[in-house]
Amino acid sequence: MAAAAAQEAEPACLQSFELYESESRFYVFGTNTDRTVWRLLKIDRSETPELDIDECSTVYTHAEYLELLSGLGEEHRSTGGVKSVTKFYGIIGFVKFLGPFYMLIITDQRKIGEIFDHPVYQVTKTSMVELANSKSRSTFLNSRDENRYKKILNTLDLRKDFFFSYSYPIMRGLQKNLSDPQEGWSLYESTFVWNEFLTRRIRNCLQSTLWTVALVYGFFKQDKLAISGKDIMFTLIARRSRHYAGTRYLKRGVNEKGRVANDVETEQIVYEAVPMPTEVSSVVQNRGSIPLFWSQDTSKLNIKPDIILHEKDKTYEATKLHFENLRGRYGNPIIILNLIKTRERRESMLRREFDKAIRIINQLFSEENHLRFLHWDLHKNSEGKPTNVLDVLLKVAFRALRLTEFFYCQVAPPTGSETAPHWPALLHSHDPYFCDENSNSDISQEDISGSSDSSGNGTTEDKAETSELPQLKPPIFQKGVLRTNCIDCLDRTNVAQYAYGLAALGHQLHALGCVESPELGLGAPVAHHLMHFYERMGDTLAVQYSGSAAHNKIFSAKRGHLKLFIRSQEFVRTLQRHYSNACIDANKQAAINLFLGYFQPKQGSPALWELESSSEEHNNGSFAHTSDSIKRVNSDGSILSVSNASISGCSGCHNELLTAAQPDVSTELQSPKVESDLVYENEITSPNETKMSNSRYTPTLSHDRIHDAPSSQLEPSNDSGDSNFLDLEWLSNSGNSSDERSLAISTPDAHLSTENVISDIVPETMENQVPGVQAQKLPEQFVQWVNDGDTFWF
């Protein structure tokens, strides 16, 4: 009877685990938070080619768990009994190199926030448990290759910026979780679950995700903001894509499946910080590398390596696939904000090619699927007074927000007994007031309420009567996304994302009834808090991708920091980034490739480090050996006046194909209807993408056309201008006006509480900085270089 009762009370997830070992098996006991319900997992330790896992179907009470544990000790008494190994908080997955399987587990965690009472945790300690027993372990105990693979994998520090939640699908946006709730298997297929490959074996074996956690890599920060007498919970999340993932110079541009480097989804969530909030809002934006085939050599001698444009995709099919994938994720419209330079040879070449690609693709797309774009040189426009660019970017953000809108809806508190879990309806769509995300926003309250009952428990009328919500407002759904990029998608991109976040925050707070006007200016107190959030996010993402914190020149200038301090900080970070790119990134990339399953070791095949040291060996055999025409634009950023010889990075391991056959990617214009990314799993760029020629230019080779559009239709249109979604003349006008209303708010927002008012700091001129410079006792030549020389910020 006790077991039957426990079966009925079985939790949706296990949150605490205990690992025991015998000579022949590992035993994993999992329990819920209250330790009232227990499950058992058995793992075979014999030397088998495949993982052998068995899940016991019985659900145990705590007393039955203790009794079972005692019985297992008696059963294995002749071979040494059952010993406790460790307590842990979730299985990251299983990995195999050349020898036995290893189980990766989380042995410590830290709560970093919560979304509607669903805790979010950061990984703070992990462990790798070898599954082999004493007999089979001796075979690989002294294997140099096996130990080297383990050391490479440990290079990826899971204690930094990996987070998860047991009960909230943190890998998906709030709008998707409410309007299209999913759980279990499908969640691991998300673009943003980094341990999808590592968990694949156990999920295939058990057909369950009960024992694993889904890790998201990126950034998570949450805090309460006091606005107009209300406590508002603000959450900023950045999710890095696991597709075409890697480090700065080793992952650039796009691969053949349309995946781009440094693809990051940013979401900000806002709701009132009360026990049971009834209104929620979120907005999503995206950053990613320029979706063309381009690369850069990693050089110890050149701080600005050459940009190499590979002319292997004359019809821009990979670029088109990328935007189709974005449309499948976010809908229409896709708005492109391209911030690269127009006056530098390296970047201007990519700008012209990207503009050509967009215009050609728009001729292939239907009118409703046309890409909206704006090419705007942030660096050029930041000369003089860098903070002026924030005014312009805010204008762009308001125009983009009008096209994409944002997500807002009301949700109903759970009905039933007082012991019902907090907000179960949020994740499982039992009671929330929402409609399908493809519906129109002007829906009647009857329609909204009518969509609330998907559980089959009670009628809509009963639920409406028990709801204590005020009169329902129609939901608003975000349709489309703003995609921002510069060269690295780090520094300039982060400034633009802050401006869009500020524009969206005003609309979110207005929807929640916190402010009367949906437009927040740069002088509003909450804008300073938001800048801190985005600055922290920018630093975190920059370290992950490039090895140093972000170049925060504009943010620093907005705070009124000394010009000398800003430039010296930019110089130091540039050197940090260069050192990381030249000396550390190859090892980091190798670890990422192992973790994500991009490279899988095999007996008799070249080892990972052999591919790193010799790209020619890697390209022999199963890889096609073809030439691509390239354009190389030289840099003038050499530290020494010598040839910029490149270091061999991880060029081989980036491109290793998995043995499992991958389905063909559809090239149709229709966007996918589901979020599943199975067709993109573990794809690696073909060796053609990274093959480079030492010559400055190679004549273009013939290319097969991917679609049947005649060549006359593939020429860019004669439309002039750098934008097709706003007026550049209007954008360049001075002032901070938005489309219809003024955004020039130099004083704190009248609707915000005075306790949050932060006085603006007026930037000083260099004449007023002399005492500060002298106090630092810096060499006069250095001060003159900082004052008059060129900045390293780019």
Side-chain angles (χ1 to χ4, degrees), residues 189 242-243 257 259 325 661-666 672 675-683:
E189 298 169 4
R242 61 183 168 91
H243 300 294
K257 290 185 170 68
R259 300 294 186 173
N325 177 266
Q662 298 296 329
D664 292 332
V665 180
S666 172
E675 190 187 15
S676 172
D677 294 307
L678 283 179
V679 294
Y680 298 105
E681 283 179 358
N682 299 76
E683 75 268 12

Side-chain angles (χ1 to χ4, degrees), residues 157-176:
D157 192 351
L158 299 179
R159 299 171 301 174
K160 292 183 178 179
D161 310 321
F162 282 88
F163 53 92
F164 66 96
S165 175
Y166 294 109
S167 54
Y168 180 80
I170 195 66
M171 74 293 294
R172 306 174 84 230
L174 181 65
Q175 177 170 313
K176 285 185 178 293

Side-chain angles (χ1 to χ4, degrees), residues 13-37:
C13 58
L14 303 176
Q15 301 189 22
S16 181
F17 304 85
E18 296 181 5
L19 180 63
Y20 295 85
E21 69 171 337
S22 68
E23 181 64 19
S24 60
R25 282 180 174 174
F26 274 109
Y27 295 95
V28 180
F29 289 93
T31 183
N32 58 349
T33 307
D34 299 330
R35 303 176 67 84
T36 56
V37 177

Side-chain angles (χ1 to χ4, degrees), residues 39-90:
R39 298 291 300 265
L40 174 62
L41 188 70
K42 304 175 184 178
I43 306 175
D44 192 350
R45 301 187 67 186
S46 60
E47 191 173 352
T48 58
E50 291 299 327
L51 196 62
D52 188 355
I53 301 180
D54 179 42
E55 181 182 24
C56 183
S57 60
T58 306
V59 179
Y60 302 95
T61 64
H62 184 69
E64 291 170 335
Y65 147 71
L66 294 176
E67 183 180 348
L68 176 61
L69 186 60
S70 177
L72 290 175
E74 291 295 326
E75 179 182 340
H76 295 280
R77 180 180 295 275
S78 60
T79 56
V82 174
K83 302 176 184 177
S84 174
V85 178
T86 185
K87 294 182 179 180
F88 65 100
Y89 298 96

Side-chain angles (χ1 to χ4, degrees), residues 264-311:
V264 183
E265 175 183 276
T266 301
E267 180 183 25
Q268 62 182 43
I269 302 174
V270 179
Y271 57 87
E272 189 174 357
V274 294
M276 296 174 66
T278 58
E279 298 176 278
V280 297
S281 177
S282 74
V283 69
V284 171
Q285 54 182 316
N286 176 265
R287 71 173 75 188
S289 188
I290 298 173
L292 301 169
F293 288 107
W294 64 283
S295 60
Q296 281 181 281
D297 290 317
T298 306
S299 172
K300 288 182 178 179
L301 304 176
N302 192 348
I303 212 163
K304 289 185 178 182
D306 299 349
I307 288 179
I308 304 167
L309 180 62
H310 303 257
E311 295 183 329

Side-chain angles (χ1 to χ4, degrees), residues 673-736:
K673 296 181 180 179
V674 294
E675 190 187 15
S676 172
D677 294 307
L678 283 179
V679 294
Y680 298 105
E681 283 179 358
N682 299 76
E683 75 268 12
I684 303 300
T685 313
S686 74
N688 299 339
E689 291 185 27
T690 56
K691 181 169 177 58
M692 301 177 230
S693 169
N694 292 326
S695 63
R696 289 178 180 267
Y697 180 77
T698 304
T700 303
L701 302 179
S702 61
H703 296 269
D704 294 331
R705 291 193 180 277
I706 301 177
H707 45 71
D708 299 326
S711 59
S712 61
Q713 295 181 11
L714 295 179
E715 294 301 323
S717 62
N718 295 325
D719 295 341
S720 60
D722 293 331
S723 178
N724 67 351
F725 91 100
L726 53 73
D727 185 353
L728 287 177
E729 185 176 351
W730 165 82
L731 184 65
S732 62
N733 288 337
S734 60
N736 303 329

